[in-house]
Amino acid sequence: MNDQPRSLASTLFPVGLLLIAMASIQSGASLAKSMFPIVGAQGTTALRLVFASIIMLLLLKPWRAKFTAKTLRSVLVYGMALGGMNFLFYMSLRSVPLGIAVALEFTGPLAVALYASRKALDFVWIALAIIGLLLLIPTGATETPIDLVGAGYALGAGVCWALYILFGQKAGAEHGVQTAALGVLIAALFVAPIGIVHAGTALLTPALIPVALGVAILSTALPYSLEMVALTRIPARTFGTLMSIEPAFGALSGLLFLHEYLSLAQWTAIACIIFASVGATMTMRRESKPLVAAD
């Protein structure tokens, strides 16, 4: 008699974690933009990851995990993908509005969803997500053109996001939430030299410390820990499709915090993306167990 409530709770739990993670990471991205004039996107990424790695190391104590050469490989790729995703996304924010940058970045998880899909119904939700993404991207003479370099950075972040999903799911299945801390540490070691070379002593500006801590918590420590838990509880294609709501969170965050106003077509896009996510959530209980990337 209690099987159905437990099944519903087990379905809604990872979905709720993803919603909280997405709201947190987009709010953090808006806050991070305030640091760009002082240390640039490169320095901002470095500070975010360094502070986040310290926080997560203290909280999760990942050194307790036991590694083999095989499992360490997954964690290393996951961490490097995480660092590349953060770095390229912040580079794109220098010239591309937040909501559109997230939409372009989403090509990564969308590709994962397309690759892993097996049922015809899955393609309905994916098609809706694609329509939403197309509407979010400004086209035509009346719209502001997108900076091609910034768009390229966002698409590169999407490639890293796809690797983050695939290798994060495998590493998370092997080491649980501790993988998030290890991944952020690897990402910080990967990106910090770039930030140091670019920003130099500006990284030590005292006024930046509380802002950097806020960005680290909102954009990395909290959301990636929550995502790591969710990754091990839902299939890869469901995770990828659910993440289609990310552009909506980005667009709303840009509107609220950065005053980046949206057109009617872009609001329509948000509705398409949310509907696709709801559809994927409704069909998730009939899915198989969470997929783990094969060797």
Side-chain angles (χ1 to χ4, degrees), residues 149-191:
V149 175
Y153 280 128
L155 291 172
V159 174
C160 293
W161 197 352
L163 294 173
Y164 162 76
I165 292 173
L166 295 174
F167 284 89
Q169 188 172 36
K170 183 173 183 178
E174 294 164 344
H175 300 292
V177 72
Q178 291 179 323
T179 303
L182 292 168
V184 173
L185 175 61
I186 294 169
L189 294 174
F190 178 58
V191 173

Side-chain angles (χ1 to χ4, degrees), residues 14 168-174 176-177 226-235 239 289-292:
Q169 188 172 36
K170 183 173 183 178
E174 294 164 344
V177 72
L226 297 179
E227 285 182 11
M228 182 52 61
V229 175
L231 271 169
T232 60
R233 284 167 169 77
I234 55 178
F239 180 92
K289 292 182 179 181
L291 301 176
V292 176

Side-chain angles (χ1 to χ4, degrees), residues 52-126:
S53 64
I54 293 172
I55 293 170
M56 297 181 74
L57 286 172
L58 292 175
L59 292 178
L60 300 179
K61 302 178 176 61
W63 54 82
R64 295 178 178 176
K66 296 181 180 179
F67 294 97
T68 63
K70 179 181 176 181
T71 59
L72 185 59
R73 181 184 63 182
S74 297
V75 176
L76 285 172
V77 176
Y78 165 72
M80 293 181 68
L82 180 58
M85 179 176 67
N86 280 264
F87 174 72
L88 293 173
F89 179 68
Y90 276 10
M91 292 293 287
S92 73
L93 289 184
R94 297 182 304 173
S95 57
V96 175
L98 179 58
I100 295 172
V102 177
L104 293 172
E105 186 190 26
F106 182 70
T107 54
L110 184 59
V112 173
L114 282 167
Y115 179 79
S117 290
R118 295 294 181 269
K119 298 189 302 183
L121 187 59
D122 292 323
F123 287 94
V124 175
W125 315 131
I126 293 171

Side-chain angles (χ1 to χ4, degrees), residues 252-293:
L252 290 172
S253 182
L255 174 64
L256 292 174
F257 302 114
L258 303 174
H259 307 293
E260 296 173 346
Y261 294 96
L262 303 174
S263 66
L264 178 61
Q266 291 168 330
W267 282 115
T268 304
I270 291 175
C272 290
I273 291 170
I274 292 175
F275 190 72
S277 298
V278 171
T281 304
M282 291 175 63
T283 59
M284 187 170 63
R285 284 190 293 175
R286 296 190 290 273
E287 301 272 0
S288 60
K289 292 182 179 181
L291 301 176
V292 176

Side-chain angles (χ1 to χ4, degrees), residues 3 14 16 49 65 82 96 157-158 217 230 269:
D3 289 344
L49 291 173
L82 180 58
V96 175
I217 294 171

